[in-house]
Amino acid sequence: MKVSVIRDDITKQKVDAIVNAANESLLGGGGVDGAIHRAAGPELKEECKTLDGCPTGQAKVTKGYKLPADFVIHTVGPVWKGGTQNEEQLLAACYHESLKKANELRLSSVAFPNISTGVYGFPKRKAAEIALKAVKEYQEHHETNLEKLFFVCFDEENYTIYKDLLKE
Ligand code: ADP
């Protein structure tokens, strides 16, 4: 699996699935969640209403509707509360559970946003380290159909952090 980092809008990605940094209601919010719902159209929310929410650290799948991506994998990142509330494990679980869903669907390409690093306040460098480690560990322990994984950074700071970490 080839892992790449790009600076772009995740709603524009032509991949099999994009991952959404949703909230537990799955009924839409701000940030990347709002952008995904706007780009997918109202049918996305209709399908989300049938899912009965999603606990933090887990993931649920819908179709992509008007998005170029076929599927949306909705995962709920932890709110950063200083690092004492299992935030690191929960963030790693988001990446793990999303990859598991992508694998179950036999997808070949997936794009991730920088989960929890917006309104949820997770320190960006720490979040990037956790994301890269979770992906690496998933690959080490699972057979996967995934050929391409993109970290789609919206802000310059995240993009710089990911580029630096991927160089190492
Ligand atoms: P969270 O509540 O998980 O922190 P946010 O949506 O507030 O979710 O932020 C998560 C990340 O998504 C942030 O790094 C933010 O810059 C990024 N982001 C916001 N809009 C988009 C978009 N259209 N495409 C990709 N990433 C985005």
Side-chain angles (χ1 to χ4, degrees), residues 8-12 20-23 30-36 38 75-79 112-122 124 152-155 158:
D8 208 347
D9 177 343
I10 202 164
T11 65
K12 309 270 190 267
N20 182 15
N23 57 50
V32 70
D33 194 7
I36 288 172
R38 276 194 299 281
T75 189
V76 183
V79 177
F112 280 91
N114 307 133
I115 302 164
S116 284
T117 68
V119 175
Y120 281 6
F122 209 105
K124 289 181 179 175
V152 182
C153 302
F154 200 59
D155 57 273
N158 266 314

Side-chain angles (χ1 to χ4, degrees), residues 8-54:
D8 208 347
D9 177 343
I10 202 164
T11 65
K12 309 270 190 267
Q13 304 309 307
K14 294 184 182 71
V15 285
D16 294 336
I18 61 170
V19 176
N20 182 15
N23 57 50
E24 287 192 336
S25 76
L26 296 185
L27 299 181
V32 70
D33 194 7
I36 288 172
H37 276 272
R38 276 194 299 281
E43 285 168 302
L44 178 60
K45 190 166 174 184
E46 290 308 310
E47 186 176 355
C48 284
K49 281 183 190 165
T50 69
L51 298 178
D52 196 26
C54 179

